[in-house]
């Protein structure tokens, strides 16, 4: 790629992202996430390409002391090797900038991306039983899984279930375009989230309402390592990148369902 083209900038999305798998196979994650990033950075350096946007994650904040989460919060050791790889890559990129101030580096800390691109042609379709909430809900919606397991209803949140800052993938993608347009020398960090928290049951109810389907669920034990509640303060991205989310939780639920319906050629 670098031999055939003059590459000005890299948006580095590649990586493994299954939290539970990373606990079982940490080496796969350190090699697959940190290792490939080192290879990429070497090649970039060789070709004098010093402009990178990196897909980081809110997981680098660990369990925050207060909400909403701002970019200058102290980071803590993430609860999984997956999360640790994100933090390690952030540190590597910071060190690269410290060694050579020509680098333009943006770290985008994603909150919980869900949804699908509007035509329903591009979406999330994990292999096997999904670990994340929305991919699981859509499988229940089409009858491929019987019911959703809700991991805990005794958290200190408005309905007892875990609260997250879900963001539509299309808004997330636009955040990268803005980051690229605004990337100047330095290391810049932005939260990409909506700033609003929704519980597991909020998401289930909204999904049922906008798509007119039932999502049967059972309350089960908490999932190890889960945090009760987190959501972003996205105001830094708004001020500096002139980016803010345009799509809401209804859009996320509608587009996720649209994708799975089209993918499985289901008539509704
Ligand atoms: C995790 C990672 C995050 C990563 C994201 C997407 C951590 C701390 N978080 O987020 O970095 O970007 O996955 O890969 O490592 N839930 C259920 N039933 C289910 C599935 C989930 O009740 O079957 C609940 C969870 O308990 C949680 C919420 O739904 O409260 C969201 O879970 P999930 O979609 O897995 O994302 P996170 O764990 O927040």
């Amino acid at each position: 790629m670098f031999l055939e083209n003059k590459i000005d900038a890299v948006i580095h999305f590649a990586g493994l992202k299954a939290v539970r798998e990373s606990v079982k196979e940490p080496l796969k994650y350190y090699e697959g996430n940190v290792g490939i990033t080192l290879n990429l950075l070497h090649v970039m350096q060789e070709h004098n390409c010093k402009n990178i946007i990196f897909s980081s994650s809110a997981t680098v904040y660990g369990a925050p002391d207060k909400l909403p989460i701002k970019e200058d919060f102290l980071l803590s050791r993430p609860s999984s090797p997956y999360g640790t790889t994100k933090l390690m890559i952030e540190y590597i990129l910071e060190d690269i900038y410290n060694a050579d101030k020509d680098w333009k580096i943006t770290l985008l800390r994603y909150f919980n991306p869900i949804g699908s691109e509007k035509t329903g042609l591009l979406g999330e379709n994990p292999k096997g039983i999904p670990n994340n909430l929305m991919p699981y809900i859509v499988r229940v919606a089409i009858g491929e899984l019987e019911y959703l397991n809700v991991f805990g209803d005794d958290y200190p949140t408005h309905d007892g279930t875990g609260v997250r800052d879900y963001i539509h993938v299309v808004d997330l993608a636009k955040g990268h375009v803005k980051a690229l347009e605004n990337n100047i020398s330095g290391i810049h960090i932005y939260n990409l989230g909506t700033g609003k928290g929704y519980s597991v049951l909020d998401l289930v109810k909204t999904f049922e309402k906008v798509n007119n389907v039932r999502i049967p669920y059972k309350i089960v034990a908490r999932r190890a390592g889960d945090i009760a509640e987190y959501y972003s303060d996205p105001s830094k991205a708004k001020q500096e990148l002139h980016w803010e989310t345009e799509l809401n939780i209804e859009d996320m639920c509608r587009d996720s369902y649209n994708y799975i319906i089209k993918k499985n050629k289901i008539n509704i």
Side-chain angles (χ1 to χ4, degrees), residues 17 57 59 82 112 132-133 149-151 164 223 226 230:
K17 65 170 266 289
S57 165
T59 191
Y82 154 76
N112 284 56
N132 297 120
L133 182 59
N149 292 301
V150 175
F151 298 141
R164 296 289 180 274
R223 181 172 67 178
D226 269 353
Y230 65 79

Side-chain angles (χ1 to χ4, degrees), residues 2 10-14 34-47 49 52-54 103:
F2 276 90
V10 171
I11 302 182
H12 177 23
F13 296 112
V34 183
I36 61 148
T37 302
L38 290 176
N39 292 344
L40 171 68
L41 292 169
H42 276 301
V43 177
M44 287 178 71
Q45 220 158 21
E46 271 166 36
H47 293 271
C49 173
I52 185 167
I53 314 290
F54 172 61
W103 277 82

Side-chain angles (χ1 to χ4, degrees), residues 17-19 57-59 79-80 82-83 110-113 130-136 148-152 155 161-164 166 200 223 225-228 230:
K17 65 170 266 289
V19 173
S57 165
T59 191
S79 54
S80 70
Y82 154 76
Y110 299 2
F111 279 68
N112 284 56
N131 293 309
N132 297 120
L133 182 59
M134 185 55 96
Y136 204 106
L148 170 73
N149 292 301
V150 175
F151 298 141
Y155 285 106
T161 65
V163 167
R164 296 289 180 274
Y166 297 97
V200 176
R223 181 172 67 178
D226 269 353
I227 291 162
Y230 65 79

Side-chain angles (χ1 to χ4, degrees), residues 58-66 69-77 87 91 109:
T59 191
V60 298
Y61 294 112
D65 293 334
K66 53 182 189 209
I69 298 173
K70 289 175 181 279
E71 289 84 351
D72 59 4
F73 277 20
L74 275 185
L75 305 182
S76 65
R77 195 193 163 110
L87 190 56
Y91 287 153
R109 293 181 179 154

